Amino acid sequence: MNAPSEWADKDYYADLGVSSSASQEEIKRAYRKLARDNHPDKNPGDTAAENRFKKAAAAYDVIGDERKRKEYDQLKAMLRTGGGFGPFGGNGGAGFPGGFRSSTSTPGSFNFDGFSGGFQRSGGFSEDGGLGDIFSGLFNRGGGGGRAARPARGADVETEITLDFREAAKGTTIPIKITGDAPCVTCHGSGSKSGVPTSCTTCSGSGFVSEEKGAFGFSRPCSDCDGTGTRITDPCPGCSGRGTVYRSRQITVRIPAGVIDEQKVRLAGQGEAGPNGTPAGDLFVTVHVRPDEVFTRKGDDLEITVPVSFSELALGGTVTVPTLNSRVKVRIPAGTPDGRTLRVRGRGIPAAKASGDLLVTVQVQVPPTLDDAAASALRAYAQAELDSGFDPRADWAGLR
């Protein structure tokens, strides 16, 4: 059993909102709902939702996997009993990093190597040492005199890009260049010249070794293979056996339609490569969006202001306005007041279920100068307004 140290203080069932007896299908449904409701793309700028999303993902990574879930349950059961190591199976915890085993020579005692104080042979703990202290030491011990275990995955990478407003609204693909650990092209990431790492003979491929001293003993990560269970006996000349090389590479990033300014897009497995074929980290791309000279955005709706004449509002008419992809005609009803917003359905930001709308606000433009004919016609119209009894300020609060 190879239980990571962070499992000890995590309640993954609570993080997913399920009981410890939940079926794998119930766990999967709970995770999918939490991931859907709290996804960063759905909640841009919401740190709390992003944290809930990350906690749900971390929990599902463990209890969503039947093997990991069994090891997690065993660890939590042992911690609840405060030293009852039976839950680790028939071998009493052999194979657990720094784990305990029942002594075959002394009935009722436990094997534990490396600690002379704070642990009594009867299996209890004295005042100067507790279960938490011992586990702190165990989980922080590495094979080979303090050497840390090899990382299980590559590092995450963060980068930034800047898009035009319409690119962000419609979605686009863009090539970006990142620098970091990438799979060695010579050995394809294995670290072995032949492409086949050798099983570690020290631990027989298990990744752990057991040691005993008198009545005490423990298991720890194998120092010869760093707990991986394999060794590179024929190191690749291109990467010296690591499986990765530090270099620049170009990848194509697909930006989904509707991304907003400062939103992060996650590309799973596109971060730095892990050593010797272990999974790669993730790539997080922060998107910056340039303002547009025509459109502004309100949620999934696009807003646009269209200049019109007084006669178009008074008599009605049709104006042509742009959208993200083409142009559409918008009818202005007769008697439309200045500043009214007209809605064109489905011509806003594209979305999987229902696209936003185009909101067209009409704004009167007054001609700066008039020729004699236009001025004469306008005076005649003004007189006709007076004769009809129309007063634009009749209901104006400023005259009350």
Side-chain angles (χ1 to χ4, degrees):
M1 177 179 175
N2 185 11
S5 59
E6 63 268 20
W7 289 6
D9 59 355
K10 299 290 186 182
D11 189 346
Y12 290 134
Y13 292 106
D15 290 343
L16 290 182
V18 298
S19 69
S20 59
S21 61
S23 66
Q24 293 299 127
E25 185 59 32
E26 289 173 328
I27 290 174
K28 182 186 294 185
R29 286 199 301 268
Y31 166 67
R32 287 179 174 176
K33 184 178 187 305
L34 285 169
R36 181 175 61 252
D37 294 345
N38 296 284
H39 196 282
D41 292 348
K42 187 178 180 180
N43 303 275
D46 189 338
T47 304
E50 182 178 355
N51 289 335
R52 289 192 295 269
F53 177 81
K54 290 180 179 178
K55 287 179 67 175
Y60 186 68
D61 181 62
V62 176
I63 64 174
D65 181 292
E66 292 188 17
R67 179 186 62 80
K68 291 182 181 178
R69 182 184 181 184
K70 182 179 179 181
E71 295 183 358
Y72 172 74
D73 289 345
Q74 290 174 342
L75 172 62
K76 300 298 282 189
M78 186 184 70
L79 293 176
R80 284 195 299 272
T81 59
F85 305 105
F88 281 89
N91 64 359
F96 179 72
F100 303 95
R101 297 181 321 208
S102 294
S103 171
T104 56
S105 59
T106 308
S109 66
F110 295 90
N111 292 334
F112 180 66
D113 189 16
F115 293 86
S116 58
F119 185 83
Q120 300 170 348
R121 290 187 59 190
S122 62
F125 297 89
S126 65
E127 294 181 356
D128 59 338
L131 184 62
D133 296 331
I134 290 177
F135 271 93
S136 174
L138 291 178
F139 284 125
N140 289 307
R141 290 186 63 160
R147 239 179 352 183
R150 193 175 302 176
R153 66 190 293 268
D156 293 338
V157 176
E158 293 193 14
T159 189
E160 299 180 349
I161 61 172
T162 301
L163 300 178
D164 290 335
F165 180 92
R166 303 185 194 205
E167 287 181 314
K170 296 166 63 176
T172 186
T173 56
I174 183 170
I176 64 173
K177 186 177 182 180
I178 59 176
T179 301
D181 286 341
C184 174
V185 295
T186 304
C187 64
H188 305 290
S190 70
S192 169
K193 184 177 181 180
S194 63
V196 183
T198 303
S199 178
C200 178
T201 57
T202 303
C203 63
S204 300
S206 69
F208 298 94
V209 294
S210 299
E211 295 183 4
E212 295 186 10
K213 183 180 292 185
F216 300 101
F218 72 95
S219 58
R220 58 172 176 77
C222 175
S223 59
D224 288 340
C225 65
D226 291 335
T228 64
T230 60
R231 298 179 64 185
I232 306 300
T233 56
D234 57 339
C236 168
C239 62
S240 300
R242 177 173 170 76
T244 61
V245 292
Y246 191 82
R247 61 181 173 86
S248 296
R249 58 191 173 99
Q250 181 170 290
I251 64 174
T252 299
V253 177
R254 186 183 70 83
I255 304 298
V259 66
I260 63 175
D261 188 40
E262 302 298 327
Q263 183 173 337
K264 285 189 176 183
V265 177
R266 173 177 173 266
L267 287 83
Q270 293 294 334
E272 290 194 354
N276 302 113
T278 54
D282 298 334
L283 173 63
F284 293 88
V285 182
T286 300
V287 181
H288 303 285
V289 181
R290 299 186 186 96
D292 191 80
E293 61 180 356
V294 174
F295 297 110
T296 55
R297 180 173 178 171
K298 183 179 181 181
D300 284 340
D301 294 335
L302 284 177
E303 297 179 314
I304 185 174
T305 299
V306 180
V308 294
S309 66
F310 168 75
S311 61
E312 287 176 312
L313 297 185
L315 302 176
T318 301
V319 294
T320 300
V321 299
T323 68
L324 289 175
N325 299 305
S326 59
R327 293 178 177 272
V328 295
K329 291 184 177 181
V330 178
R331 187 179 69 84
I332 301 176
T336 296
D338 180 41
R340 170 169 289 181
T341 298
L342 308 172
R343 184 181 296 269
V344 183
R345 300 286 181 184
R347 290 305 186 107
I349 303 294
K353 293 184 178 180
S355 298
D357 300 331
L358 178 66
L359 306 180
V360 181
T361 300
V362 292
Q363 186 177 70
V364 167
Q365 299 294 302
V366 176
T369 58
L370 295 173
D371 60 20
D372 291 343
S376 177
L378 193 56
R379 291 191 188 95
Y381 169 76
Q383 185 59 49
E385 271 190 344
L386 292 174
D387 294 343
S388 68
F390 173 71
D391 183 356
R393 291 173 290 280
D395 296 326
W396 185 41
L399 295 180
R400 294 174 189 170

